[in-house]
Amino acid sequence: MQDFIARLIEESKRFLNERAQIDDDIGQEAAKFVAREIPAPSGIFEKSDSPLIRWIEEAIQFGSPETERVLNALKPALPFLPWKYNYEPRPDMPDLGNQMGWGEILGPEAPFHDDHFCYGFTLLGKNTFYPAHYHPATELYVVLSGHAEWTLDGVSKVRNPGEFILHPSNHVHSMRTSDEPLLALYTWSGEDVVTLSKYV
Ligand SMILES: [Fe+2]
């Protein structure tokens, strides 16, 4: 396994393991990732040609002391994550694929194959609205860098680096950045992590 990916997985697990010590819904979700065995990768991580790469330098600048170690591990890996955006195109927002996306490390189509669990990173550029969407998977996020507005079931809140956010299965959620990009770690668990997210 490439060293920077091994280190990133290790730091991600260390970080989520701290939260997993609290036995609540978020802690239990974090514990699932900590316990997940990571299989051998199916290939190497090659440098991405995604338009999202242009946000990387700025996207790591708005962390906190709590997220510093994960961000340091993430920094060398970011250009090599398999960044993608695979929603159906939206005529009203044609630029979304240049503004946001995710790099999945573990999952049904990720370099580390897992049909029942996903782990990766979401990146939004500045002044970007990730429209309301939903999916069957239970989603755990932790903000690593950037202060953005997160909305779940119509309730909006600015979330800070280090905060954990749980999106229960099929609950509608969205995110909006302003003058800082957003970088967040996510996991997907549950009966169905194969069905993609859909816009409302
Ligand atoms: Fe989601």
Side-chain angles (χ1 to χ4, degrees):
M1 194 192 301
Q2 287 158 290
D3 285 352
F4 59 86
I5 293 292
R7 180 164 168 246
L8 176 57
I9 293 171
E10 187 185 318
E11 278 300 325
S12 299
K13 285 202 168 191
R14 184 196 58 79
F15 189 63
L16 267 68
N17 190 43
E18 283 179 20
R19 184 60 182 81
Q21 303 311 308
I22 302 171
D23 186 17
D24 59 8
D25 289 352
I26 287 176
Q28 287 166 16
E29 212 49 43
K32 289 180 191 171
F33 173 60
V34 176
R36 202 80 193 167
E37 272 199 41
I38 309 289
S42 58
I44 64 159
F45 288 76
E46 307 219 31
K47 202 156 189 178
S48 169
D49 58 5
S50 162
L52 295 179
I53 295 301
R54 73 193 194 285
W55 290 113
I56 285 178
E57 273 306 309
E58 207 172 353
I60 56 174
Q61 289 173 16
F62 301 96
S64 67
E66 293 155 282
T67 64
E68 192 181 353
R69 278 182 64 173
V70 185
L71 276 177
N72 283 341
L74 181 56
K75 189 176 176 181
L78 280 171
F80 295 90
L81 296 188
W83 294 105
K84 66 178 173 182
Y85 172 88
N86 56 4
Y87 280 97
E88 292 287 314
R90 285 179 67 125
D92 59 331
M93 301 176 90
D95 198 39
L96 272 182
N98 291 318
Q99 287 295 110
M100 56 165 274
W102 50 93
E104 194 150 280
I105 291 176
L106 179 72
E109 293 181 10
F112 293 82
H113 186 84
D114 193 324
D115 281 326
H116 304 285
F117 200 90
C118 305
Y119 150 64
F121 297 85
T122 295
L123 175 61
L124 267 71
K126 288 195 286 193
N127 301 307
T128 298
F129 178 50
Y130 184 165
H133 57 284
Y134 62 98
H135 39 74
T138 297
E139 182 173 64
L140 179 66
Y141 264 114
V142 54
V143 181
L144 299 177
S145 178
H147 301 74
E149 183 184 74
W150 294 65
T151 301
L152 173 63
D153 297 329
V155 179
S156 300
K157 200 176 167 192
V158 172
R159 301 288 198 159
N160 302 312
E163 275 197 70
F164 285 78
I165 300 143
L166 188 65
H167 294 150
S169 172
N170 286 321
H171 283 239
V172 174
H173 49 280
S174 62
M175 291 101 105
R176 187 188 295 276
T177 58
S178 48
D179 55 359
E180 297 174 4
L182 171 67
L183 193 51
L185 182 159
Y186 72 86
T187 64
W188 269 21
S189 75
E191 295 292 306
D192 177 5
V193 303
V194 174
T195 299
L196 297 176
S197 185
K198 289 188 189 73
Y199 288 130
V200 174

